[in-house]
Amino acid sequence: MNPFVETRHIIQRELRKNLRSVKGIALAVLTLLGGSSIALLIAKYNDFKREEMGQISPEELHMLREKALARLYEEDTAKWLADAPEVLLALLSFTVWLAPLLIALMGFDAISPDIQHRTVRYWTIRSRRWSYFLGKWAGLWATVSIVTLAMDAIIWGVCVVRGEADVATTLSWGVRFWLTSLPLSAIWCSIAVLISSLFRVPMVALLVTFATFFTLWVVYLIANVAHLDPLLYLYPNHYDHLMLDPKAYRFGTGVLASFGMTALFVAGGSALFARRDV
Amino acid sequence: MSTEENLARESKPASQPPAPEAQANVESAPKPADGLTGYSPAPLPPAARGAKKKRKDVEIAIRVNKVVKRFGSKTAVDGVSLKVKAGSVYGLIGPNGAGKTTTFSMLAGFLKPSSGEIEVLGYAPTQVDELRSRLGVLPQDALLPPWDKVGEFLMHMARLQDVPADRVEAECREVLEEVDGKDWWNVRCSQLSHGMAKRVQLAQALLGEPEIVLLDEPTAGLDPRVAYEIRQLIKRRKGRCTLIVSSHNLQELEEVCDAACILDRGRVVASGSITELTASSEEVRIKLGAGPAPVAVVRELPMVKRVEFDEERRELVVYFDRGQVDAETVIGHVLWALLQNQARISGVTKGKGLEQRVMELT
């Protein structure tokens, strides 16, 4: 059997398992509720801003937004992003920041309970270890992508209903931002599955996953403050700077770098998993 | 203990060649090639990397050659060699910590040997694609995925085994019915009792009519009725595939196995056909009731080599030359002689029983 067919079967099962388990449903509901609440808060803030800053023209508002974004992104990117509806920009940040938490909670038990209870033995005689690992990673990534898409879709709806932007603008920016979050969550998923495969006890895997994600964030903060630019690239979410850039080569570099980092973790995890006793 | 020493402990006279069945089932000393399957220990032959070997091509289902498994400083399996003939039922016997499950796990590819080679149908156990659907495994303590329904789990396993899409459900239902679990299709694995779960585990091992089925403690923790049913199922499979059974239950193994190896502290201490292991073709044990014990009369019988009598247990052990006469003939003559001399007979057994043999060796 083609190893990718094995992987496809495992992805399908993971999706079914993740989206049907109590944990999966609870996390999906919490994510959707969280997303909806944030959308409403942003909308309320926009109402307040319109009331308070009514005398400011849209052009001036655009300039202000551009200046604010320039503190976070490069000039071209800031100029480009200033055209996006604010709600969707906030949603992108929320998705990118929420994803690691969601992934840690959904991914810590991707493999570790299978090793703990030796359930993995039913798979290792039927699938290559690397296709099992790849299937687990892709299944988690697909689940997270579906959950974030559902959350985004709700907010797109709020955005259109409240007249923040028309349907075409909302979908155009919304889908673009959601697609930008995918390569980032792919990296986080690969790290979570790698950690899950290293520990027999799911609780240990959860703690180590949180610790690792937190450490990466701290490294990012330090690198930011100390201007240690190469270190910034250790933090997966930093690649959004490249992927949000309107210049094609920088966007391409961001996508390639994200998937390269993902491939590195998936390949490393698969290799370690293939060598270990189960 | 080396394999040569194992041979010595078998204490077979040089003039008595082992039974052909034993020759096929047991390998105590590794050979570079045996002419049966073009086997050479390592690396695997080019043919093994090509097309899958068909059932008819393989006479020796499993070959284990000087396999060692260490966990840190502890050696769990120490130089085990064995050979299992295709179509036979082979037992792995031994006390706790003997290395049965470790050996079993290496055969299934769960654990990697620290040294030595293992071939399953001519392939390394980790060559999943080559062994797909040809090797079924019932691991001892692997829990079923709790969220899956039994039917879903079996269908997922069948798909991974490359069962044709239009046959997946039918095949899973058939195998579930074979383990008497046709009503469990929609039951979640977490809701199954221990006995039911064991049968579902057995069902997944039998999916796709594999050529080799490895069963680790298939009846452990089951009530006698379910254990009996599983034994019957194993017996029904006899001849259709090669079965390797690891168990503590020696009576069970004696009942279902053609051959076995006895492990102790990671080493093979004896191996051979069940007939050889129990010496049932070399000795007859007769339990006498209260009354006369005419040992001298039995000793004078022409086919008898030696006679021992345990007065306390009132057990008469009659040794004979298996090349000259079979156990049934000896039993007839001995019983006749005893009855003629007013002995009261309360039981007759061929050999010493696997349990006693294991107790002697471990």
Side-chain angles (χ1 to χ4, degrees):
Chain A
M1 184 192 275
N2 182 330
F4 295 104
V5 177
E6 285 174 13
T7 307
R8 194 192 74 211
H9 288 312
I10 293 166
I11 293 171
Q12 285 169 345
R13 183 182 174 276
E14 283 303 296
L15 271 172
R16 207 174 51 231
K17 186 188 90 177
N18 288 338
L19 296 173
R20 218 177 49 184
S21 68
V22 173
K23 189 192 81 177
I25 293 167
L27 282 173
V29 169
L30 283 175
T31 307
L32 296 181
L33 282 176
S36 310
S37 311
I38 294 288
L40 286 174
L41 277 175
I42 294 167
K44 287 279 174 205
Y45 165 72
N46 277 349
D47 284 348
F48 169 77
K49 202 172 62 181
R50 270 189 214 114
E51 282 165 20
E52 294 298 312
M53 302 168 79
Q55 65 275 33
I56 299 178
S57 67
E59 289 74 27
E60 285 172 317
L61 199 63
H62 190 275
M63 284 278 284
L64 280 175
R65 205 187 295 164
E66 205 176 302
K67 274 183 187 168
L69 285 166
R71 288 172 180 271
L72 298 169
Y73 299 98
E74 290 197 358
E75 200 179 319
D76 288 349
T77 312
K79 203 174 274 180
W80 183 64
L81 287 177
D83 293 336
E86 272 177 58
V87 178
L88 298 184
L89 259 175
L91 173 65
L92 172 67
S93 303
F94 181 70
T95 308
V96 165
W97 280 93
L98 176 85
L101 178 70
L102 181 68
I103 289 163
L105 290 172
M106 294 204 85
F108 78 94
D109 60 353
I111 295 181
S112 93
D114 285 357
I115 297 174
Q116 183 185 35
H117 301 299
R118 297 189 175 160
T119 311
V120 68
R121 291 182 168 189
Y122 297 116
W123 274 267
T124 53
I125 56 163
R126 293 178 172 93
S127 66
R128 294 161 183 87
R129 301 261 184 118
W130 71 264
S131 39
Y132 172 84
F133 191 96
L134 187 65
K136 287 282 183 178
W137 163 76
L140 176 63
W141 186 40
T143 309
V144 171
S145 304
I146 289 169
V147 171
T148 51
L149 177 64
M151 184 183 79
D152 285 15
I154 289 176
I155 296 169
W156 299 341
V158 172
C159 193
V160 171
V161 169
R162 290 187 52 87
E164 302 287 335
D166 58 45
V167 177
T169 310
T170 305
L171 282 181
S172 145
W173 282 103
V175 171
R176 221 178 298 176
F177 286 161
W178 175 70
L179 289 174
T180 302
S181 74
L182 297 188
L184 306 180
S185 58
I187 307 176
W188 291 112
C189 287
S190 64
I191 299 172
V193 174
L194 167 63
I195 293 170
S196 182
S197 73
L198 295 176
F199 298 94
R200 281 180 184 275
V201 183
M203 195 47 70
V204 176
L206 177 65
L207 293 174
V208 175
T209 307
F210 273 133
T212 307
F213 285 8
F214 182 71
T215 307
L216 286 172
W217 180 68
V218 171
V219 167
Y220 174 71
L221 283 186
I222 294 169
N224 245 327
V225 173
H227 301 291
L228 301 167
D229 285 358
L231 279 183
L232 292 173
Y233 292 92
L234 285 177
Y235 185 63
N237 285 355
H238 181 66
Y239 292 98
D240 70 341
H241 282 66
L242 291 170
M243 282 186 288
L244 288 171
D245 199 295
K247 288 191 276 300
Y249 80 93
R250 278 183 58 87
F251 170 79
T253 307
V255 173
L256 280 177
S258 300
F259 283 115
M261 202 166 172
T262 303
L264 193 71
F265 286 119
V266 172
S270 300
L272 287 173
F273 186 63
R275 287 165 63 95
R276 73 173 293 174
D277 289 337
V278 297
Chain B
M1 186 186 291
S2 70
T3 46
E4 284 75 14
E5 283 171 313
N6 291 333
L7 256 182
R9 284 190 72 165
E10 291 291 292
S11 66
K12 290 170 200 151
S15 60
Q16 294 174 0
E21 181 191 26
Q23 264 184 325
N25 282 311
V26 180
E27 183 186 67
S28 294
K31 299 170 191 172
D34 61 12
L36 286 170
T37 57
Y39 165 74
S40 63
L44 287 172
R49 296 185 205 103
K52 288 182 183 180
K53 286 190 174 70
K54 295 287 177 281
R55 191 187 295 257
K56 59 181 167 49
D57 299 333
V58 181
E59 286 186 41
I60 300 300
I62 288 180
R63 251 176 239 276
V64 176
N65 188 15
K66 292 181 178 171
V67 163
V68 175
K69 180 66 186 176
R70 292 187 199 92
F71 297 103
S73 60
K74 187 178 182 294
T75 303
V77 170
D78 192 2
V80 166
S81 295
L82 55 93
K83 200 170 167 184
V84 181
K85 188 184 172 188
S88 65
V89 182
Y90 195 89
L92 288 176
I93 304 170
N96 288 335
K100 297 189 302 293
T101 295
T102 306
T103 304
F104 180 95
S105 298
M106 288 191 286
L107 293 178
F110 305 147
L111 305 179
K112 293 194 170 60
S114 305
S115 65
E117 293 103 32
I118 297 177
E119 274 188 26
V120 177
L121 295 169
Y123 299 99
T126 45
Q127 286 181 279
V128 175
D129 202 35
E130 285 76 8
L131 294 173
R132 192 186 308 278
S133 245
R134 302 179 77 194
L135 173 67
V137 183
L138 166 67
Q140 187 190 344
D141 44 9
L143 296 187
L144 294 168
W147 288 103
D148 284 20
K149 289 179 179 168
V150 170
E152 279 173 1
F153 169 68
L154 289 176
M155 283 175 63
H156 177 63
M157 293 292 126
R159 285 190 193 105
L160 285 174
Q161 279 186 217
D162 219 3
V163 172
D166 58 340
R167 283 284 307 146
V168 166
E169 186 171 344
E171 195 132 327
C172 293
R173 287 190 185 275
E174 277 166 27
V175 82
L176 199 56
E177 194 166 346
E178 196 175 348
V179 298
D180 212 11
K182 64 177 177 186
D183 299 331
W184 308 337
W185 188 263
N186 285 316
V187 178
R188 279 200 196 285
C189 292
S190 56
Q191 292 166 345
L192 297 171
S193 70
H194 179 65
M196 289 157 81
K198 189 67 118 184
R199 282 196 262 183
V200 173
Q201 291 165 351
L202 188 58
Q204 66 77 34
L206 301 176
L207 255 176
E209 200 72 24
E211 288 166 56
I212 297 183
V213 181
L214 306 179
L215 305 171
D216 196 1
E217 300 284 359
T219 58
L222 299 179
D223 69 52
R225 189 176 162 276
V226 179
Y228 171 80
E229 283 168 5
I230 287 185
R231 269 198 301 279
Q232 297 311 307
L233 198 144
I234 294 170
K235 282 182 182 171
R236 282 201 299 276
R237 284 267 161 172
K238 219 170 171 175
R240 283 162 66 187
C241 61
T242 308
L243 285 145
I244 317 286
V245 187
S246 157
S247 178
H248 280 115
N249 189 332
L250 300 175
Q251 282 161 344
E252 174 178 287
L253 288 176
E254 199 169 345
E255 191 184 328
V256 300
C257 291
D258 302 317
C261 81
I262 301 172
L263 293 163
D264 187 34
R265 276 164 278 183
R267 295 175 178 188
V268 176
V269 290
S271 58
S273 67
I274 293 294
T275 312
E276 284 180 312
L277 288 171
T278 58
S280 61
S281 58
E282 290 173 343
E283 63 183 62
V284 171
R285 290 171 177 254
I286 299 153
K287 205 100 167 145
L288 297 178
V295 180
V297 179
V298 175
R299 199 167 279 138
E300 280 166 17
L301 289 170
M303 74 284 292
V304 170
K305 248 171 47 177
R306 185 162 55 92
V307 177
E308 285 171 9
F309 182 61
D310 183 334
E311 291 211 21
E312 201 179 322
R313 296 172 65 194
R314 292 198 63 77
E315 189 178 62
L316 191 68
V317 186
V318 180
Y319 298 92
F320 56 94
D321 192 336
R322 71 174 176 188
Q324 307 284 321
V325 64
D326 61 24
E328 286 72 18
T329 306
V330 175
I331 290 170
H333 282 87
V334 172
L335 291 188
W336 180 254
L338 290 171
L339 291 169
Q340 290 274 346
N341 289 277
Q342 284 77 46
R344 298 171 68 222
I345 298 158
S346 56
V348 181
T349 53
K350 286 201 293 182
K352 57 184 68 174
L354 200 51
E355 190 169 59
Q356 195 176 340
R357 179 77 164 135
V358 171
M359 295 306 285
E360 284 171 9
L361 291 167
T362 62

